[in-house]
Amino acid sequence: MKRLFLLLAFCPSLFAAQPNVLVIIADDLGYADIGVHGGAEVPTPNIDALAASGVRCTSGYVSAPYCSPSRAGFLTGKAATRFGHEFNPHVGDEAKLGLPLDQRTIANVMHDAGYATALVGKWHQGFDAAHHPQSRGFDEYFGFLVGGHNFLLHKDAEPKFGTAHSHDLIYRGREPQKLDGYTTDLFTDEALSFMNRHSGKPWFLYLAYNAVHTPLEIVEKHQSRLPAVVKTPGRRGYLSLLLGLDDTIGRITAELKAKHPNTLVFFFSDNGGSGKRPFFATNTGINTPLRGDKGQTLEGGIRVPFFVSWTGQLPAGKVYDQPLSALDVLPTAASVAGTKAPEGIEGVNLLPHLKSEKADAPHESLAWRFGPQKAIRRGKWKLVDFRDFEAKTQSGWQLFDLHADVGETKNLAAEHPQLVAELSKAWDDWNAKNVAPLWPGTPNEDPKPAVKKAD
């Protein structure tokens, strides 16, 4: 570390080529709600332009179908089930709730590589001092600590804390702030400030918007842009939040183009849209043609909008169809920073694949566990045991050919018993390296006992 500081002090030109790294995560974004995926209720020109500026990954996955474990996976480069972070950290001993303290984060890696690091927005990885972002590798923090937060802030309101949802409780560092405004705009202002305050050295920014998660608040400035044909209040609120998200992506990308062109940008959602009532903070998000929603190991819960852009380094307008994962962000960022990723990670450096320097898939297979739910994808095949929350049943293993049936409508398990046996064993082998959850989930997350659907 001392050598790195000496090099920075006396030979700053050695580090001039280190790109900035920006990771933008939307919250519960419906796969079908953005224009590039066919969404048409409100325009999303800035999100679409970001997708077109680089590589649009049509099989981009997160490692869990739910907020906190998904983010824990991205932050560590490992499935959160490897270290017991299977459910949202809402119930249990505060000192143990959150990303386990023995796990190194992408912020630790980038900080040690000489980067200025910041998190702006949603954390949801624990809320005591030891789990705070500034205890986990982030130099700066501006946002909220738990799973949900109101969008329309009032500085005279009484702050309210809950392990799942806070109200008017935004922190700068470790200190609560009294603020008026709209969180999407405030987070964007802070992100732009961070970029420009650290323009003399490489920076890593994790920009975690709470849009389009509940509460579905309508911002007054968006009222005239909402389609009159949409009457449902919740859907109108969702579309208002989506408009705000798209506007702010435009502000971010304009700033990058003008002042920070050497920036590797990732954009994805933490999980699928939450379109089903009354489960998992329903936000009316639409995931078609994918089946399922947030909280399910069906494609609608784990396959998300996923774009990677880097001006002059990655091809613009490319569509990449091989399965990849948010677990890959950490090793990719470490690679461009010129440092090593931690031992034991499951992600891979994506750049050789996205640049067509490697023709093979980044992963032989990807696997998931979320309570009683299971899934594994290998090539075009997906084996999944998902939960019907309304019926309170498990599907049992079902097999789908995602190339022919991305909507997972035709179960081919009976036609390919050997493949089911192979993939289920592969899932068992993967699962053998997982550990028990460190804290309990809600009845939706971790129902006991799980009822298997009758044949």
Side-chain angles (χ1 to χ4, degrees), residues 249-264:
I249 295 301
R251 291 179 62 196
I252 294 291
T253 52
E255 191 79 359
L256 294 177
K257 183 177 181 180
K259 300 180 182 179
H260 312 277
N262 188 24
T263 301
L264 172 62

Side-chain angles (χ1 to χ4, degrees), residues 189-200:
D189 294 342
E190 185 68 20
L192 297 177
S193 172
F194 171 79
M195 294 177 190
N196 293 324
R197 283 187 285 107
H198 295 282
S199 58

Side-chain angles (χ1 to χ4, degrees), residues 144-293:
F144 62 96
L145 294 172
V146 294
H149 199 282
N150 61 309
F151 290 86
L152 303 175
L153 305 181
H154 305 282
K155 66 180 180 181
D156 296 327
E158 184 68 26
K160 296 179 182 178
F161 174 81
T163 60
H165 180 89
S166 290
H167 211 81
D168 290 292
L169 191 53
I170 300 296
Y171 295 84
R172 180 175 296 283
R174 300 176 190 267
E175 297 300 319
Q177 306 294 295
K178 291 285 189 179
L179 299 169
D180 284 320
Y182 172 42
T183 56
T184 303
D185 290 342
L186 292 172
F187 294 158
T188 305
D189 294 342
E190 185 68 20
L192 297 177
S193 172
F194 171 79
M195 294 177 190
N196 293 324
R197 283 187 285 107
H198 295 282
S199 58
K201 65 183 294 187
W203 48 257
F204 166 71
L205 173 60
Y206 171 24
L207 180 51
Y209 289 107
N210 53 326
V212 289
H213 194 286
T214 57
L216 303 176
E217 297 177 318
I218 297 179
V219 183
E220 183 61 34
K221 65 180 179 178
H222 298 157
Q223 285 277 12
S224 63
R225 299 166 63 189
L226 295 174
V229 295
V230 178
K231 304 295 185 184
T232 306
R235 184 63 178 171
R236 290 178 67 82
Y238 176 93
L239 294 176
S240 172
L241 299 177
L242 180 56
L243 287 168
L245 178 64
D246 186 74
D247 288 349
T248 210
I249 295 301
R251 291 179 62 196
I252 294 291
T253 52
E255 191 79 359
L256 294 177
K257 183 177 181 180
K259 300 180 182 179
H260 312 277
N262 188 24
T263 301
L264 172 62
V265 182
F266 295 89
F267 175 94
F268 55 95
S269 179
D270 62 343
N271 45 249
S274 185
K276 294 282 182 67
R277 291 185 182 277
F279 310 107
F280 301 116
T282 303
N283 72 347
T284 79
I286 298 173
N287 297 320
T288 52
L290 309 180
R291 180 183 177 191
D293 293 88

Side-chain angles (χ1 to χ4, degrees), residues 93-136:
D93 180 354
E94 181 177 315
K96 297 179 181 178
L97 286 175
L99 182 65
L101 300 180
D102 61 351
Q103 298 299 313
R104 283 176 55 78
T105 73
I106 186 173
N108 294 130
V109 171
M110 301 303 280
H111 175 87
D112 290 352
Y115 279 62
T117 60
L119 165 60
V120 175
K122 175 174 174 174
W123 176 232
H124 207 192
Q125 300 295 304
F127 41 83
D128 70 343
H131 288 91
H132 187 278
Q134 289 178 299
S135 299
R136 310 307 302 270

Side-chain angles (χ1 to χ4, degrees), residues 399 411-417 420:
L399 180 69
N411 178 14
L412 301 176
E415 299 173 37
H416 300 280
V420 171

Side-chain angles (χ1 to χ4, degrees), residues 272-345:
S274 185
K276 294 282 182 67
R277 291 185 182 277
F279 310 107
F280 301 116
T282 303
N283 72 347
T284 79
I286 298 173
N287 297 320
T288 52
L290 309 180
R291 180 183 177 191
D293 293 88
K294 172 183 178 177
Q296 292 179 300
T297 50
L298 289 163
E299 293 292 282
I302 55 176
R303 189 192 292 215
V304 295
F306 200 118
F307 319 136
V308 189
S309 178
W310 187 8
T311 301
Q313 297 292 326
L314 289 175
K318 181 173 180 175
V319 176
Y320 186 78
D321 296 324
Q322 297 276 24
L324 52 79
S325 172
L327 301 178
D328 302 326
V329 175
L330 188 157
T332 306
S335 173
V336 301
T339 191
K340 289 184 177 181
E343 294 292 328
I345 67 166

Side-chain angles (χ1 to χ4, degrees), residues 295-298 368-376 382-388 393-400 408 427 450-453:
Q296 292 179 300
T297 50
L298 289 163
W368 296 263
R369 187 183 83 186
F370 185 59
Q373 299 189 70
K374 316 167 189 176
I376 184 168
K382 166 109 174 270
L383 188 69
V384 58
D385 180 357
F386 63 91
R387 186 157 186 80
D388 183 323
T393 59
Q394 288 294 125
S395 67
W397 281 129
Q398 296 191 6
L399 180 69
F400 299 102
E408 295 172 291
W427 186 89
V451 178
K452 185 175 179 179
K453 185 178 179 181

